[in-house]
Amino acid sequence: MDEKTLIAKRVALELRAGNLVNLGIGLPTMVAAHLPAGVNVFFQSENGIIGMAPVPEPGAENEDLSDAGGSPIGAVPGAAAFDSAMSFGLIRGGHLDVTVLGGLQVDEEGRLANWMVPGKMVPGMGGAMDLVSGAKRVIVAMQHSAKGEPKIVKRCALPLTSVRRVDLIVTDLAVIEPTPKGLVLKETAPGVSVADVMAQTGAELIVPSDVPTMPVGA
């Protein structure tokens, strides 16, 4: 199993039947394809749809159906389409149960930076700020390090998306829960030791006496 699939499967286990869920661009979109059997959720995209389905088979794409990043999506029977203003009203109004977002960095206080690298051209923050601030639960799905550098750091060097503490971080090495006391190591990935996680983390971790192995479903 590749690292991104591992992350997506573990995040999918956090979703509950009936949840209204937003999936960010990139890795988070993979979560839709890995829901446990019998768990039906409503996937929302900030460009104006509730009822997204996983990416259709090649050749079945519809140019009028895309996620916020412009990638093709499917739609379940009964899906609802609406304008961006309505979509952000749902997000800002606190009606979104869960958002799953990628991350560039998360710091020791659980604050996320995921929208800009200084000096790089970016189109703007998009919906990231609203999603982190407005969703009831924020899950960050990202690889633990990039180019040999940890992405979980003592303090974010990149511009923050929000000052709100995210609720859970799922990486290819571990599941970490930001709390008022700090970052708690909840699980390690199959074949990964606590020492491995600590060696690739740039922030202090609170390590319980028993750290179970990450379940990833079927």
Side-chain angles (χ1 to χ4, degrees), residues 61-136:
E61 300 92 342
N62 184 324
E63 63 181 13
D64 292 324
L65 285 175
S66 69
D67 61 22
S71 298
I73 57 171
V76 300
F82 35 81
D83 63 18
S84 186
M86 174 66 181
S87 192
F88 277 91
L90 291 170
I91 296 167
R92 294 169 181 169
H95 303 288
L96 197 63
D97 293 303
V98 182
T99 185
V100 183
L101 299 170
L104 297 172
Q105 291 180 331
V106 180
D107 69 15
E108 213 163 65
E109 296 181 36
R111 298 179 303 181
L112 171 67
N114 81 334
W115 73 280
M116 186 180 77
V117 176
K120 300 282 187 178
M121 289 294 292
V122 292
M125 186 175 282
M129 177 176 63
D130 298 278
L131 288 163
V132 177
S133 300
K136 294 174 185 173

Side-chain angles (χ1 to χ4, degrees), residues 34 39 62 98 108 111-112 144 172 181 189 209-210:
H34 297 290
V39 176
N62 184 324
V98 182
E108 213 163 65
R111 298 179 303 181
L112 171 67
H144 208 90
D172 51 312
K181 294 183 178 180
S209 57
D210 179 39

Side-chain angles (χ1 to χ4, degrees), residues 136-156:
K136 294 174 185 173
R137 192 159 187 246
V138 180
I139 300 174
V140 178
M142 67 180 189
Q143 291 176 297
H144 208 90
S145 59
K147 298 179 180 179
E149 295 295 323
K151 296 176 70 173
I152 300 174
V153 296
K154 195 161 192 68
R155 188 173 183 84
C156 288

Side-chain angles (χ1 to χ4, degrees), residues 13 34-40 218:
L13 296 178
H34 297 290
L35 284 177
V39 176
N40 296 308

